[in-house]
Amino acid sequence: MNISVSFDDNGLLPDKYAKFAPAEYRKEDMPVVNFPIAITDIPAGAQSLAVAVIDYDAIPVGGFPWIHWVAANLPISDVPEDLANADITYVPGTNSMYSVMKDGNPEITQSYVGPMPPDQTHDYTLTVYAVDTTFDLQPGFFYNELRKDLVSHVLAEASLELPARSE
């Protein structure tokens, strides 16, 4: 399985999906429109896809990796831009904004929240999993729940580093 995301002319995630997103790509001043993901060579037998975007470069800044996006039970196809508003059935998971907004808007805490590196360019790890089932997950599930469900169900996975600028 192969995945690809379009970068800007500097080899970075385009601003509209990250810290410098225009107003129409934001909610509560957070970038909430995800980038599209092109996926090829999905293995036969795959029943759904799952995605995760994690910032491991956040560890020196905040002490732990920051989860920007997790979703499960996606259809076997490319992931469109602005998945939260697409006519696609899937299950959104909880991102790390939950740690600072426990009673916050699920459109922020259970959706894509784009990169906002505070100190320097960070690399965000996108992983797409092709799995042989759909999972019994509820909206707002946590990444650890997905990780447990993935055991013995992953037919293929692909990862890509997505650099996003801080200034």
Side-chain angles (χ1 to χ4, degrees), residues 21 27 38 41 46 48 61 65 72 75 78 81 86 88 90-91 100-101 104 107 119 128 135 139 148 163-164:
K27 188 171 301 271
D41 301 323
S48 68
V61 177
D78 292 345
E81 178 181 271
I88 292 175
Y90 71 102
V91 182
V100 294
M101 304 173 68
E107 292 180 74
D119 57 338
V128 177
F135 298 118
K148 288 175 186 170

Side-chain angles (χ1 to χ4, degrees), residues 46-112:
Q47 297 296 309
S48 68
L49 301 174
V51 300
V53 174
I54 301 177
D55 178 10
Y56 294 99
D57 287 339
I59 295 170
V61 177
F64 54 89
W66 191 267
I67 300 167
H68 283 267
W69 190 24
V70 62
N73 296 350
L74 290 156
I76 303 299
S77 66
D78 292 345
V79 177
E81 178 181 271
D82 200 13
L83 178 64
N85 291 306
D87 188 22
I88 292 175
T89 301
Y90 71 102
V91 182
T94 297
N95 62 48
S96 290
M97 288 306 300
Y98 177 81
S99 67
V100 294
M101 304 173 68
K102 286 191 180 8
D103 295 323
N105 182 347
E107 292 180 74
I108 304 284
T109 62
Q110 296 177 24
S111 185
Y112 170 85

Side-chain angles (χ1 to χ4, degrees), residues 11-64:
L12 300 167
L13 190 64
D15 283 348
K16 68 181 182 177
Y17 306 119
K19 187 175 187 175
F20 300 100
E24 63 270 18
Y25 278 62
R26 295 179 167 275
K27 188 171 301 271
E28 297 182 27
D29 204 33
M30 311 254 178
V32 294
V33 173
N34 67 279
F35 48 85
I37 307 167
I39 307 167
T40 59
D41 301 323
I42 298 170
Q47 297 296 309
S48 68
L49 301 174
V51 300
V53 174
I54 301 177
D55 178 10
Y56 294 99
D57 287 339
I59 295 170
V61 177
F64 54 89

